[in-house]
Amino acid sequence: MDNREQILETALALFYTRGYDAVGVQEIAEKSGVTKPTLYYYFKSKYGLLEQLLESRGGSFLEQYHQACAYMGDLKNTLCSAAGVLMRFAQREPEFYRLFMALYHSARENESYRAVRPLAICLQQETEQIFLSASDLLGNMRGRQRQFSLGFMGLVFYEILMKFEVESEERIRVEQEEIDSLVHQFMHGIYS
């Protein structure tokens, strides 16, 4: 692993375990086995490091989510695909997922919130696009795409959070039947 990757990995571990605000640049550099000037060479600042961490880990995830949200005429399958990507990402990258959630729920004036906001907005827009695409087939969705997308994401995110709380292992298990059941529950609500 090169210095840049080592710094990113160390920062993720520290931010995840102690929080972004509680970790200093000196500590990241020391635990990464590099000097502060080396860290600043790659990232310019702690905020720059956080932005790069979110971009490097979030970029490929966003691409997968974008593909999963491509609506092809079957709302249930599209939502199952989207929920599956979210849940399997949390399964593969539990530290990053939990850090993302913590940062997104931080104070709005905090720089960590400003760093994570673009990733959260992209997720919201991709999800909203599903309901926008399906609105011609389902009249009760017209004008309510944002409401439905927020409800869907909230349900999936909360399911993941509860899985982390209930399951004894650090990594959660994700079963297709679980995804199908979650989407079925959500769709029952939007069709009523």
Side-chain angles (χ1 to χ4, degrees):
M1 190 178 315
D2 66 7
N3 284 343
R4 185 178 188 285
E5 278 303 308
Q6 182 60 46
I7 295 167
L8 286 168
E9 288 295 318
T10 302
L12 173 59
L14 290 170
F15 295 161
Y16 165 68
T17 56
R18 298 217 334 268
Y20 174 78
D21 292 329
V23 177
V25 171
Q26 183 65 41
E27 182 179 8
I28 297 168
E30 286 174 5
K31 296 216 183 224
S32 298
V34 301
T35 63
K36 262 174 93 169
T38 300
L39 187 145
Y40 284 127
Y41 169 79
Y42 288 111
F43 302 106
K44 309 295 183 231
S45 66
K46 182 173 128 179
Y47 182 76
L49 171 56
L50 178 60
E51 284 182 312
Q52 284 299 305
L53 178 61
L54 291 166
E55 186 178 310
S56 67
R57 293 294 178 103
S60 63
F61 163 66
L62 276 178
E63 180 56 36
Q64 291 172 9
Y65 195 66
H66 174 74
Q67 292 173 9
C69 291
Y71 179 72
M72 301 295 185
D74 187 330
L75 182 59
K76 183 177 184 206
N77 282 341
T78 305
L79 292 176
C80 283
S81 180
V85 168
L86 288 170
M87 293 179 79
R88 288 188 181 98
F89 181 76
Q91 179 184 39
R92 270 191 329 275
E93 300 272 352
E95 295 86 8
F96 180 79
Y97 175 81
R98 292 174 94 172
L99 175 63
F100 165 76
M101 294 304 290
L103 295 175
Y104 187 67
H105 290 96
S106 63
R108 297 299 181 244
E109 297 299 318
N110 192 306
E111 68 180 18
S112 61
Y113 173 76
R114 286 195 316 270
V116 79
R117 189 170 184 272
L119 179 57
I121 287 173
C122 285
L123 285 173
Q124 169 60 33
Q125 290 172 339
E126 291 291 344
T127 308
E128 196 169 324
Q129 187 59 47
I130 296 170
F131 296 102
L132 186 62
S133 298
S135 65
D136 288 343
L137 299 173
L138 302 162
N140 72 334
M141 275 191 223
R142 221 167 272 117
R144 297 171 63 196
Q145 297 87 358
R146 182 171 175 77
Q147 177 187 353
F148 286 157
S149 66
L150 291 173
F152 175 73
M153 289 176 61
L155 182 66
V156 175
F157 287 156
Y158 195 74
E159 175 73 14
I160 294 167
L161 176 65
M162 288 295 93
K163 288 177 86 45
F164 278 120
E165 289 299 317
V166 173
E167 294 182 14
S168 60
E169 302 143 18
E170 181 62 27
R171 299 201 185 276
I172 60 172
R173 291 182 307 280
V174 176
E175 304 292 334
Q176 187 61 45
E177 298 82 33
E178 209 171 10
I179 295 168
D180 293 342
S181 176
L182 193 66
V183 169
H184 178 78
Q185 174 187 345
F186 174 79
M187 291 190 67
H188 187 70
I190 67 173
Y191 284 124
S192 59

